[in-house]
Amino acid sequence: MSRTSPTTAGTAGPVLLGPGAHATLRPAAAAAIEGGFWQVRRAVNARAGIPQGPRLLESAGNLHDLRLAAGTAEGDFRGDYPFMDSDVYKWLEAASWQLGQSAPDGRDAAEADGERAALAGEVDRIIGLVAAAQQPDGYLNTWFQVTKGGARYQDLRWGHELYCAGHLIQAAVAHHRSTGGKELLRVATRFADHIDTVFGPGKAIESFDGHPEVETALVELYRETGERRYLDLAQYFVDRHGHGVLGGEAYCQDRVPLRAAENVEGHAVRQLYLLAAAADLACETGEAELRAAGERLWRAMTATKTHLTGGVGAHHDKEDFGDPFELPTERAYCETCAAIASIQWSWRMALLTGEARYGDLIERTLFNGVLSGVSLDGETWLYVNPLQIRDGHTDLGGDKSARRTEWFRCACCPPNVMRLLASLEHYVTSTDGAGLQVHQYASGRYTGDAAGRPVVVSAHTTYPAAGTVTFTVEETPGDRPWTLSLRIPHWSAGFAARVAGEPVEDTAADGWLRLERVWAPGDEVTLELDLTPRLTSADPRVDAVRGCVAIERGPLVYCLEQVDHPGGGLDDIVIDTSRPLTEQDRPDLLGGVVTVRAAGRRRAAPDSGHWWPYRAAGRGGTAPDEDPAVPLTAIPYYAWANRQDGSMRVWLPTG
Ligand code: FUB
Ligand code: ZN
């Protein structure tokens, strides 16, 4: 049997820090996810998710709008938003990362080559549409070109012109890094150069776009081209926020400068893209104040404004973070894009500081808040990711539906998931020049650097089904020590590690288990994390879930779905926390999951038939021992809404 070919392999990924960067860590030189949980999810993304993009972008009107702007089609502008172009760019970014990778496993090489050629052809075709729509001076936004008679930058709060430019630049950088192709990069740099002539101190517009994105993109363009002025422009935009230039609203990240902010606020995606850019800048410039702001705001967000799933954004209104501890369940917004933005920020903070905690949040968010956004077959999506669907839920449909949808009117989330999954291997490991840090546990092959010499380690695991991860040193200098650092997740009650069968004594107090050795090829390290199912409660200030617990196992948050609990709904379910949780391997269910079983009961509706749901405090309710026992079966939250419609809940009342 031939060696398993990787689903993904490459040296090209996002956040390739510049040569003079001040970050503690750097993305590892080459990474490949091979086998295991993530290979399956990424293969679905590669074979079902990404290939459907051109058809959906055609039927939603995005490609038609490009043709309108180019003057090669007639008709009305299609789509309701000034950021229709960004869906095209995010798809191009996803497809570009995908093109930078080798063929998925288990397929005939000719078939894989054919698929790859087809994808490359679609990418080239769509790049052609983008290039044709660009105006002679580099400006490009189909909405303003077609519907506003070419008026520009009249509405920076909502216009999204630089947001779209940012996604164009990100796509171009991905395409250039992955394929060496220059055409899209040429389009993007022409737009960036145009922006640089218009925006900045003493220029026509001393303001910024209400939706950040161009900032991280400009930093990436600086990294790709070496042109310092792109970094300077990114710095200008970040610094301009928070001074009332756009009306002083939190929604536009204009209420308070980042360096003075005490907590995350406003539109969640806007806030997190801005913070990702601030971390990028701190990585490149070494600015201590911006780094301190990032650390402070990250702690405030995780301590007060993050759902158990890693999802963020408590308000449907204005897609806002909400107040501290305002973390509702059925109205949790938790936009898929916000979860992705959180990962992008955390990854940059991990590189900047070298701290393990950022990997903890990335893991939680990835396995729960992001992955719930895409169906198991990769073809339908959730925009909002609530933590509860009530019995008798009336679904209003549309973008904010709790039912998976093929595409959205505001289709920001699906191509965002595609681009994250297509580049995921670059969020797994890093190097500091003295070894390799493993932030996430995914089977694969990862390359670090030890004093300029490559170190290559392979990882093998069925995580998160099981908690054992085996690492094998494949390449090593052999004459000098280097350090393999393994993140010990905060949820793991304990861990055991062995090097060549010998137990390691270390508490990993700061979240890193550091194994420094003169390694030899074939050396094996085994890490065992404790995946015992556990009950989790929330800070009492999270009123929405007071008196409730959630089931977790390893990095996975669990939920109940109605389909597993016949004979009634979920609103009356109570969990018996005195009884043990047990797990069951279910390869037949939802693509293969470990379910967690718990003892429960179904509370009889108090005073049933009564017209008023309130009563004198301390009175009412049935005696628990009269309630019928109901065995509870919890599934991983990421897999919910993949069977029939019905209620769902993460947080379970204890009484
Ligand atoms: O405004 C562009 C995108 O649409 C945002 O990032 C999402 O929150 C959605 O509003
Ligand atoms: Zn979105």
Side-chain angles (χ1 to χ4, degrees):
M1 215 169 105
S2 65
R3 180 178 176 274
T4 308
S5 65
T7 300
T8 64
T11 52
V15 202
L16 280 192
L17 301 183
H22 298 259
T24 308
L25 310 177
R26 280 182 288 117
I33 290 177
E34 301 175 343
F37 181 89
W38 285 112
Q39 175 166 291
V40 175
R41 305 286 4 121
R42 284 157 56 83
V44 167
N45 187 50
R47 292 175 205 170
I50 292 174
Q52 69 187 339
R55 175 179 60 81
L56 293 163
L57 293 168
E58 195 64 78
S59 66
N62 311 64
L63 302 184
H64 164 78
D65 295 337
L66 285 166
R67 289 188 202 99
L68 281 183
T72 57
E74 291 185 352
D76 294 331
F77 189 90
R78 292 180 52 205
D80 300 321
Y81 297 102
F83 49 88
M84 294 296 286
D85 300 348
S86 64
D87 302 337
V88 179
Y89 303 147
K90 273 191 263 185
W91 181 83
L92 280 173
E93 183 185 340
S96 297
W97 294 134
Q98 192 61 42
L99 287 175
Q101 297 163 5
S102 47
D105 280 9
R107 281 181 319 151
D108 178 73
E111 185 194 346
D113 284 351
E115 277 181 19
R116 190 186 155 73
L119 183 61
E122 285 295 72
V123 166
D124 287 346
R125 178 176 73 86
I126 292 172
I127 288 176
L129 296 179
V130 172
Q134 186 167 37
Q135 300 209 308
D137 66 354
Y139 179 87
L140 175 48
N141 183 291
T142 61
W143 169 273
F144 287 92
Q145 287 167 232
V146 175
T147 75
K148 302 291 174 194
R152 301 172 181 179
Y153 308 127
Q154 305 294 307
D155 181 8
L156 290 170
R157 188 183 164 280
W158 179 245
H160 288 82
E161 286 150 292
L162 303 191
Y163 166 86
C164 289
H167 279 301
L168 169 60
I169 294 167
Q170 299 275 15
V173 167
H175 191 248
H176 187 246
R177 275 186 196 154
S178 287
T179 70
K182 292 197 168 41
E183 176 60 8
L184 195 58
L185 192 63
R186 228 182 330 262
V187 175
T189 47
R190 284 182 64 214
F191 199 173
D193 292 347
H194 156 77
I195 293 167
D196 197 25
T197 63
V198 176
F199 289 83
K203 298 184 186 169
I205 307 179
E206 298 197 23
S207 189
F208 58 91
D209 193 297
H211 198 314
E213 172 60 25
V214 76
E215 296 80 0
T216 41
L218 286 167
V219 178
E220 282 282 76
L221 190 59
Y222 153 71
R223 291 171 181 148
E224 200 61 13
T225 63
E227 291 252 15
R228 172 82 199 192
R229 65 202 165 91
Y230 298 133
L231 186 68
D232 294 341
L233 188 56
Q235 181 85 59
Y236 170 77
F237 283 138
V238 168
D239 292 349
R240 203 80 183 107
H241 285 76
H243 300 285
V245 179
L246 274 193
E249 280 173 280
Y251 179 72
C252 293
Q253 303 303 313
D254 195 31
R255 197 187 66 82
V256 56
L258 279 185
R259 293 175 185 79
E262 292 297 336
N263 207 333
V264 291
E265 65 176 24
H267 184 277
V269 182
R270 292 176 182 227
Q271 170 75 95
L272 293 167
Y273 283 175
L274 180 64
L275 285 163
D280 266 333
L281 287 167
C283 282
E284 297 298 343
T285 67
E287 189 201 315
E289 203 181 345
L290 213 44
R291 170 178 169 154
E295 292 178 310
R296 180 175 69 249
L297 291 168
W298 191 90
R299 281 178 182 275
M301 179 183 82
T302 52
T304 68
K305 297 195 181 184
T306 304
H307 288 270
L308 187 65
T309 54
V312 289
H315 287 187
H316 281 238
D317 185 32
K318 292 190 174 170
E319 311 188 298
D320 188 278
F321 260 107
D323 291 335
F325 302 107
E326 183 190 6
L327 295 164
T329 57
E330 68 269 62
R331 292 291 288 170
Y333 196 65
C334 293
E335 181 184 341
T336 305
C337 282
I340 292 167
S342 166
I343 288 174
Q344 292 176 343
W345 179 32
S346 287
W347 178 238
R348 287 158 172 82
M349 292 302 293
L351 296 175
L352 180 62
T353 65
E355 288 174 14
R357 75 181 73 152
Y358 300 104
D360 280 349
L361 185 65
I362 290 173
E363 176 175 65
R364 176 174 291 279
T365 309
L366 190 55
F367 273 113
N368 303 289
V370 170
L371 207 49
S372 64
V374 54
S375 62
L376 293 175
D377 65 9
E379 292 182 0
T380 54
W381 313 88
L382 291 177
Y383 185 123
V384 298
N385 295 273
L387 277 68
Q388 179 179 11
I389 303 296
R390 291 187 174 275
D391 299 335
H393 171 70
T394 302
D395 200 83
L396 299 177
D399 287 4
K400 312 301 155 58
S401 171
R403 310 298 179 219
R404 294 186 185 278
T405 307
E406 195 190 44
W407 204 241
F408 302 114
R409 217 160 59 92
C410 172
C412 48
C413 300
N416 222 350
V417 175
M418 292 176 198
R419 70 183 180 135
L420 177 68
L421 290 179
S423 57
L424 190 67
E425 73 273 28
H426 298 285
Y427 294 83
V428 173
T429 54
S430 64
T431 184
D432 59 357
L436 187 72
Q437 300 81 42
V438 182
H439 299 254
Q440 305 302 332
Y441 295 114
S443 287
R445 199 161 179 276
Y446 305 97
T447 302
D449 167 57
R453 305 265 299 274
V455 298
V456 182
V457 170
S458 63
H460 185 74
T461 182
T462 59
Y463 188 83
T468 303
V469 193
T470 306
F471 299 92
T472 307
V473 175
E474 294 197 354
E475 277 180 52
T476 175
D479 58 351
R480 68 187 70 165
W482 56 271
T483 305
L484 177 64
S485 301
L486 308 178
R487 180 180 61 86
I488 304 302
H490 72 111
W491 46 257
S492 188
F495 71 92
R498 291 188 154 68
V499 177
E502 291 298 313
V504 175
E505 300 300 330
D506 193 321
T507 58
D510 67 351
W512 286 119
L513 174 65
R514 294 186 178 82
L515 305 171
E516 186 185 8
R517 305 276 189 290
V518 177
W519 298 94
D523 277 354
E524 204 167 273
V525 176
T526 309
L527 175 67
E528 280 171 40
L529 298 170
D530 182 358
L531 301 190
T532 308
R534 60 193 190 275
L535 294 176
T536 301
S537 61
D539 185 298
R541 287 169 288 184
V542 186
D543 298 78
V545 300
R546 195 177 296 141
C548 293
V549 294
I551 297 172
E552 297 187 276
R553 178 178 178 276
L556 299 179
V557 174
Y558 276 67
C559 67
L560 304 187
E561 278 200 302
Q562 189 173 4
V563 62
D564 298 311
H565 301 88
L570 296 181
D571 287 358
D572 297 318
I573 288 289
V574 175
I575 186 170
D576 181 349
T577 56
S578 69
R579 303 273 298 283
L581 301 174
T582 58
E583 54 183 55
Q584 190 181 19
D585 194 15
R586 291 288 306 275
D588 57 314
L589 185 68
L590 294 164
V593 293
V594 175
T595 60
V596 176
R597 300 262 183 95
R601 59 189 170 87
R602 191 167 265 130
R603 199 171 33 200
D607 304 330
S608 73
H610 204 278
W611 63 276
W612 186 237
Y614 309 100
R615 56 185 178 272
R619 263 207 276 137
T622 50
D625 53 9
E626 290 169 14
D627 293 339
V630 176
L632 307 181
T633 300
I635 61 159
Y637 173 77
Y638 75 77
W640 84 279
N642 278 284
R643 296 176 288 175
Q644 65 204 54
D645 291 351
S647 45
M648 177 277 290
R649 63 187 308 151
V650 167
W651 290 100
L652 311 172
T654 58

